[in-house]
Amino acid sequence: MEIWLIIAIAIVFIIWRMLPAKGTKTISTEALKGTLNDKDKVFVDVRTPSEYKANNIRQFNNIPLGSDLSKLPKGKEIVVICQSGMRSGQACKQLKKLGYDNVTNVRGGMSAWRG
């Protein structure tokens, strides 16, 4: 019986970690294509430098997860991408904690991108 309780707690924790931060928007990679030239948005790729170097979207700046995100402008929408959407979700949560109001996660990340 105890093992089932531990498994249930682990599942709830994993689901909780995957939920987007409150107030974070998500967009598809298809919708992203129409926004790449918007000067009122800041595009951030939170993958490692080697992942970014191997394949990237020109408008995105590489700021790996764990870097200082507080230097990003607060008056613009911050659009975040990673490989699958997991790390960018974590980055969006960090940005919300830092007081950024306009944060968007790219659903599916570079795995879903078909440039």
Side-chain angles (χ1 to χ4, degrees):
M1 186 68 183
E2 295 169 3
I3 190 74
W4 292 111
L5 181 61
I6 293 170
I7 291 171
I9 291 170
I11 290 171
V12 168
F13 178 75
I14 291 169
I15 291 170
W16 174 75
R17 292 284 295 172
M18 293 175 68
L19 292 174
K22 190 173 186 174
T24 299
K25 295 177 281 192
T26 59
I27 61 169
S28 67
T29 54
E30 200 58 41
L32 174 65
K33 291 177 185 177
T35 68
L36 288 174
N37 294 318
D38 188 338
K39 301 297 181 201
D40 290 326
K41 297 182 185 340
V42 175
F43 299 97
V44 178
D45 186 324
V46 295
R47 296 177 301 153
T48 64
S50 60
E51 287 175 301
Y52 180 80
K53 187 176 179 183
N55 181 27
N56 66 73
I57 302 170
R58 181 179 47 85
Q59 290 87 342
F60 280 79
N61 297 307
N62 185 222
I63 305 174
L65 186 62
S67 299
D68 182 10
L69 299 173
S70 67
K71 294 184 176 25
L72 294 170
K74 289 201 174 179
K76 294 188 175 194
E77 180 179 355
I78 311 295
V79 180
V80 188
I81 197 169
C82 68
Q83 188 61 37
S84 67
M86 295 294 290
R87 285 178 282 178
S88 56
Q90 291 176 338
C92 288
K93 285 181 182 181
Q94 289 176 9
L95 287 164
K96 294 300 282 184
K97 285 181 183 175
L98 289 170
Y100 289 83
D101 294 323
N102 202 354
V103 179
T104 303
N105 186 15
V106 180
R107 185 176 48 246
M110 291 300 290
S111 295
W113 177 255
R114 306 282 183 256

